[in-house]
Amino acid sequence: MDTIWQQRRSGAAPARPGDLRNPWQRDRARILHSAAFRRLQSKTQIMNIGENDFYRTRLTHSLEASQIGSSLINQLAHAGTDNVRALLPDENLMEALCLAHDIGHPPFGHGGETALNYKMLGSGGFEGNGQTFRIVGRLEAYHQDHGMDLTRRTLLGLLKYPVLTPDSPKPFEEHPKSLSAWKPTKAVFSADADLLDWVLEPLSAADRDIFQAVDTLEKAPWQRSKHKSFDASLMELADDIAYGVHDLEDAVVTGNLTRQQWDAHIPALLENLNPALRKLMQQLQQELFSDTHHQRKNAIGAMVNIFVTAVKVDEVLPEAEQALVRMNAILPEDERVLLDGLKAVVFEHVINQPAIQQLRYRSQNMLLNLFSAFHAEPQRLLPRNTRARWLQAYEQDGQIAADRVLCDYIAGMTDDYAEHMYKRLFI
């Protein structure tokens, strides 16, 4: 089974003289040197690019998630059972997953994601994780047909939602006009179903059925996938810690989160935690809001350590044969409640504040107008290489396939490039 998870869709990778790297080191290098990864330096994490030179971008967030992912591997290598140690991904694989996990995000963060999903409602939808899978498996220029041509286990680890986007239960004409009513379905695009099938090929039919189980919802996003692989659970945990703790640091340093706002949420949450964790957090919150920089940095590092050292491995699908889908990395209840609380504070007092939402609204409308312009005049306005891809897709598979090419182009823009293009076309 180890061999089958190291396979690439193109077959055996060409050997280079003297290259002694393992498959995971090659995957990590392909991600690190890709154009899609470089573009993260100019994509919004929470605050808009250019608003301040301190806070994280998608690139620095991904680098920090990668470091936390390595720490999780190190923790489980020392504290886990023999079975857990045998299942752990190579550290290079873990870093590769964390580095790549956000490369499918469009310009302007989740606001841009919702805007593109709205424009693609009649053509298969849009969602950042699905676009990540599409970039590494089809679009990035390492292989003519297979994108970065990563190993099967790396692709499995990037599948936070290993299911296909469902068809909308409503005709396109009946969709509400409000963007906020159309949360993207977290899934793989139907256009990439063949790639998903290839990744899941080693699973038995029974394992695949339970691994791809979903909860059906009555409104957008229509469904919620229930499971992810072991590697994906580690990657998602590293992402959550980086978001919950490091974005918290950005919020405090830039003054977007005050001690008064913190006190309105967190002390009540701490009262329900175990005494040791409650006492530690009460100490760390004093340092977090200290005027002394090194004390704040110590608090941030200590919070990351709380979650890294608490990580456990559990059977989430005990009936599954394949350990990669049977096991997941999890946090104990108290640590999970604390991390979710930190994320909620950042959301409420940073992401959800009117100034940020006004910028998000402005950015969403830029993408809506860009999409409309390119959709109306593709052969006139698209760059030559994108125009050629659009025309080939349109002639071979029709408008829906051509819309996916157009969406790929806009999703690949950085914040700066999208704004420059908007000004070129409309101002």
Side-chain angles (χ1 to χ4, degrees):
M1 287 299 289
D2 286 343
T3 301
I4 201 169
W5 290 110
Q6 292 182 22
Q7 289 177 352
R8 303 180 190 278
R9 201 172 183 203
S10 65
R16 289 174 176 163
D19 187 355
L20 302 179
R21 295 176 299 169
N22 67 32
W24 325 120
Q25 289 172 311
R26 286 196 283 273
D27 281 359
R28 181 182 181 276
R30 291 180 184 190
I31 292 163
L32 192 61
H33 294 288
S34 68
F37 181 74
R38 288 196 301 277
R39 291 190 187 105
L40 295 178
Q41 67 186 305
S42 189
K43 288 195 177 186
T44 294
Q45 171 65 7
I46 290 183
M47 318 276 195
N48 278 39
I49 300 297
E51 294 291 314
N52 187 295
D53 63 1
F54 173 83
Y55 53 69
R56 275 83 179 173
T57 65
R58 287 275 172 194
L59 180 67
T60 56
H61 162 75
S62 298
L63 292 170
E64 289 174 336
S66 176
Q67 186 274 321
I68 292 171
S70 294
S71 296
L72 291 170
I73 296 297
N74 183 67
Q75 177 70 21
L76 291 172
H78 285 85
T81 65
D82 288 343
N83 287 338
V84 168
R85 282 192 286 270
L87 188 61
L88 285 177
D90 181 281
E91 188 171 319
N92 290 283
L93 170 54
M94 189 72 253
E95 290 186 0
L97 297 178
C98 293
L99 291 172
H101 80 280
D102 266 354
I103 62 174
H105 269 282
F108 310 123
H110 289 289
E113 180 183 45
T114 302
L116 283 182
N117 181 58
Y118 181 74
K119 298 302 286 189
M120 288 291 289
L121 286 175
S123 302
F126 177 83
E127 193 269 334
N129 295 282
Q131 189 69 11
T132 292
F133 190 66
R134 183 169 171 80
I135 288 170
V136 299
R138 201 176 299 280
L139 300 182
E140 190 68 38
Y142 279 81
H143 188 277
Q144 182 175 349
D145 301 311
H146 305 304
M148 295 187 195
D149 197 27
L150 304 178
T151 59
R152 184 183 261 119
R153 181 164 177 174
T154 300
L155 291 173
L156 179 68
L158 287 171
L159 282 171
K160 290 177 67 173
Y161 314 102
V163 295
L164 291 176
T165 302
D167 292 332
S168 172
K170 293 183 178 181
F172 180 71
E173 294 77 14
E174 297 179 18
H175 290 171
K177 299 304 180 185
S178 170
L179 286 180
S180 58
W182 287 99
K183 294 180 180 179
T185 303
K186 296 182 181 298
V188 173
F189 307 134
S190 297
D192 302 314
D194 59 329
L195 179 57
L196 178 63
D197 286 339
W198 181 82
V199 174
L200 301 183
E201 192 176 292
L203 301 183
S204 67
D207 275 9
R208 180 162 176 173
D209 283 345
I210 56 177
F211 182 55
Q212 294 188 286
V214 299
D215 289 325
T216 302
L217 310 176
E218 293 184 357
K219 60 181 181 179
W222 307 119
Q223 75 177 21
R224 182 180 297 112
S225 65
K226 300 173 70 171
H227 305 295
K228 59 182 66 66
S229 71
F230 176 63
D231 298 346
S233 71
L234 282 163
M235 176 264 285
E236 185 172 52
L237 182 54
D239 183 26
D240 278 356
I241 295 170
Y243 167 36
V245 180
H246 289 141
D247 289 351
L248 171 67
E249 180 185 15
D250 283 359
V252 172
V253 172
T254 57
N256 286 285
L257 178 65
T258 66
R259 180 60 190 267
Q260 183 179 11
Q261 291 168 331
W262 171 275
D263 286 343
H265 296 270
I266 299 300
L269 180 149
L270 298 183
E271 289 302 316
N272 297 318
L273 305 182
N274 68 71
L277 183 54
R278 180 170 65 246
K279 182 178 179 181
L280 176 56
M281 279 301 300
Q282 287 169 343
Q283 173 189 334
L284 294 178
Q285 68 183 4
Q286 301 300 323
E287 296 184 1
L288 179 64
F289 289 94
S290 169
D291 292 332
T292 307
H293 183 67
H294 74 269
Q295 287 186 316
R296 185 170 58 246
K297 292 302 294 185
N298 178 70
I300 292 298
M303 287 183 192
V304 171
N305 185 67
I306 286 172
F307 303 117
V308 169
T309 57
V311 64
K312 307 291 183 186
V313 175
D314 197 11
E315 284 190 338
V316 293
L317 283 176
E319 64 271 41
E321 303 168 27
Q322 171 55 248
L324 281 176
V325 300
R326 186 172 65 248
M327 312 297 286
N328 267 193
I330 61 171
L331 287 177
E333 180 65 19
D334 280 7
E335 283 77 9
R336 171 48 64 184
V337 167
L338 175 59
L339 183 55
D340 287 345
L342 298 181
K343 292 166 60 180
V345 166
V346 171
F347 178 83
E348 179 59 31
H349 293 292
V350 182
I351 299 173
N352 209 33
Q353 66 167 301
I356 295 295
Q357 289 302 315
Q358 289 161 8
L359 285 172
R360 174 175 286 194
Y361 181 79
R362 170 181 176 271
S363 302
Q364 286 177 318
N365 277 284
M366 283 197 289
L367 289 193
L368 293 174
N369 287 323
L370 282 175
F371 193 102
S372 295
F374 287 123
H375 189 269
E377 299 274 7
Q379 297 195 64
R380 178 184 178 193
L381 300 178
L382 287 173
R384 291 185 184 277
N385 58 340
T386 306
R387 185 194 312 169
R389 287 183 55 229
W390 181 92
L391 188 59
Q392 181 181 26
Y394 184 80
E395 291 178 344
Q396 291 182 355
D397 300 304
Q399 186 64 56
I400 289 178
D403 285 350
R404 181 60 62 189
V405 172
L406 172 54
C407 188
D408 290 339
Y409 171 59
I410 296 177
M413 294 179 178
T414 63
D415 293 18
D416 289 339
Y417 185 89
E419 186 148 2
H420 290 323
M421 182 62 71
Y422 178 82
K423 289 178 179 177
R424 181 181 299 171
L425 292 178
F426 294 104
I427 297 178

